[in-house]
């Protein structure tokens, strides 16, 4: 008869750390419920599988870099009436990620664009996808740095390891030529390969001005928009309204 300690050590040696940690409880449950050998074998493997999934989601949530916790459940569709709950819920089968489509939220400040982007990103993580949230200004800076080090390609490859890249606040700050070039490289690499969620306060027609260069703006927009679902959000700033009534 092996001892529980040696069996636990063997599981640990095979990197089945969850079975190793849970073996005494799993054995006790099996004895109490008088499960069959096959059921017990399945209990072990299911326990390991579930724990691994759980840990992966925790890791992915941390890696996603959400700046704050915003949940779709807290989004008030009575206040924001230019998008419906049905429209948002329809995104949560994540066929848009599987089909490499983009989501574009356009609207003035405070209407819930970032809230929706984070909320959707959060749900995507729960569903097992790898997500990265980044503000456009920070993204541009990191690409600039990578270019200076001769590592732009590697940086873009690393970003493309995510299933979904959220670029928040595109268009708030003007970009120089290098930044535009880098952004084009990124968007081009992700095109039809990964999904992007963009939030912006600029309508497409104004993007040329913002980018200071239609020659680069047009190909970027073209690729972002080609396979995308565009949501135009309107209404008054939720922040302002909180200030006034709160
Ligand atoms: P935007 O990105 O469009 O500028 P945010 O998503 O940052 O706006 O929203 C501003 C603040 O108001 C956030 O704290 C957000 O959670 C909240 N907010 C905006 N719209 C709603 C809404 N419809 N329901 C609940 N909270 C909202
Ligand atoms: Mg925002």
């Amino acid at each position: 008869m092996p001892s529980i300690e040696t069996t636990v050590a063997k599981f640990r040696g095979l990197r089945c750390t969850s079975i190793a940690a849970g073996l005494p409880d799993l054995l006790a449950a099996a004895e109490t419920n008088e499960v069959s050998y096959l059921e017990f074998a399945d209990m072990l493997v299911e326990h390991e599988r579930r724990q691994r999934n759980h840990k992966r989601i925790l890791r992915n949530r941390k890696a996603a870099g959400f700046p704050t916790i915003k949940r779709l459940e807290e989004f008030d569709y009575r206040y924001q009436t230019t998008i419906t709950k049905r429209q948002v819920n329809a995104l949560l089968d994540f066929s848009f990620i599987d089909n490499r489509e983009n989501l574009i939220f356009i609207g003035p400040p405070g209407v819930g664009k970032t809230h929706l982007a984070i909320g959707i990103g959060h749900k995507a993580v729960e569903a097992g996808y790898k997500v990265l949230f980044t503000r456009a200004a920070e993204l541009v800076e990191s690409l600039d740095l990578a270019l200076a080090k001769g590592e732009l390609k590697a940086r873009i490859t690393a970003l493309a390891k995510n299933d979904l890249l959220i670029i928040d606040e595109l268009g708030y700050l003007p970009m120089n030529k290098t930044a535009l070039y880098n952004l084009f490289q990124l968007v081009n690499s992700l095109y039809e390969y990964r999904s992007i969620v963009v939030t912006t306060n600029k309508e497409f027609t104004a993007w040329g001005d913002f980018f200071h260069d239609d020659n680069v703006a047009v190909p970027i927009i073209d690729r972002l928009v080609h396979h995308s679902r565009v949501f135009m959000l309107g209404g008054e700033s939720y922040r302002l309204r909180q200030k006034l009534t709160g």
Side-chain angles (χ1 to χ4, degrees):
M1 264 294 262
S3 74
I4 182 131
E5 288 79 13
T6 57
T7 305
V8 162
K10 285 179 194 170
F11 273 118
R12 191 165 292 122
L14 291 175
R15 304 268 180 276
C16 293
T17 50
S18 297
I19 295 179
L23 194 61
D25 289 344
L26 289 160
L27 281 168
E31 277 165 22
T32 310
N33 301 315
E34 299 183 3
V35 302
S36 71
Y37 296 121
L38 178 61
E39 281 172 314
F40 183 60
D42 195 62
M43 270 171 69
L44 292 183
V45 74
E46 272 300 305
H47 179 72
E48 185 67 35
R49 201 181 58 81
R50 265 201 304 272
Q51 290 297 316
R52 283 186 190 188
N53 265 342
H54 179 64
K55 285 181 194 163
R56 192 166 54 87
I57 286 171
L58 290 181
R59 264 199 317 275
N60 287 349
R61 193 184 300 158
K62 212 167 164 196
F66 296 122
T68 50
I69 302 167
K70 294 285 175 191
R71 306 217 183 264
L72 287 182
E73 288 79 2
E74 288 149 19
F75 197 77
D76 186 352
Y77 296 90
R78 285 165 308 181
Y79 187 77
Q80 177 47 269
T81 53
T82 59
I83 191 165
T84 64
K85 191 172 187 175
R86 181 192 292 255
Q87 280 175 304
V88 172
N89 284 347
L91 301 171
L92 302 181
D93 65 359
F94 299 111
S95 58
F96 83 89
I97 297 181
D98 299 334
N99 299 332
R100 286 89 170 105
E101 290 173 61
N102 301 329
L103 306 182
I104 301 178
F105 294 103
I106 303 179
V111 296
K113 301 183 298 297
T114 301
H115 189 136
L116 287 171
I118 294 175
I120 290 165
H122 195 265
K123 293 272 188 221
V125 169
E126 303 290 304
Y129 294 98
K130 287 190 76 174
V131 177
L132 183 70
F133 178 99
T134 171
R135 289 201 183 85
E138 285 158 17
L139 178 66
V140 159
E141 207 177 293
S142 90
L143 292 177
D144 225 14
L145 201 69
L147 182 72
K149 288 197 215 156
E151 294 167 359
L152 183 62
K153 213 166 166 196
R155 178 82 190 114
I156 288 177
T157 305
L159 289 168
K161 291 228 155 61
N162 294 287
D163 301 299
L164 175 66
L165 184 65
I166 301 175
I167 306 177
D168 195 33
E169 302 185 348
L170 190 64
Y172 282 59
L173 295 171
M175 289 187 191
N176 63 32
K177 253 196 154 52
T178 313
L180 271 178
Y181 165 81
N182 294 343
L183 186 66
F184 173 75
Q185 296 295 322
L186 174 67
V187 169
N188 200 28
S189 298
L190 300 184
Y191 176 63
E192 294 186 339
Y193 177 57
R194 294 296 188 227
S195 286
I196 305 177
V197 169
V198 169
T199 82
T200 178
N201 58 351
K202 297 273 191 302
E203 292 203 27
F204 297 129
T205 48
W207 282 24
D209 302 339
F210 147 65
F211 283 129
H212 293 307
D213 188 351
D214 274 337
N215 290 334
V216 198
V218 172
I220 293 176
I221 296 167
D222 193 54
R223 280 161 183 74
L224 279 178
V225 174
H226 184 197
H227 307 290
S228 74
R229 310 186 197 181
V230 178
F231 300 92
M232 305 286 290
L233 303 184
E236 286 175 11
S237 165
Y238 192 89
R239 295 190 190 99
L240 224 55
R241 146 98 165 229
Q242 295 287 90
K243 266 269 175 294
L244 298 177
T245 62

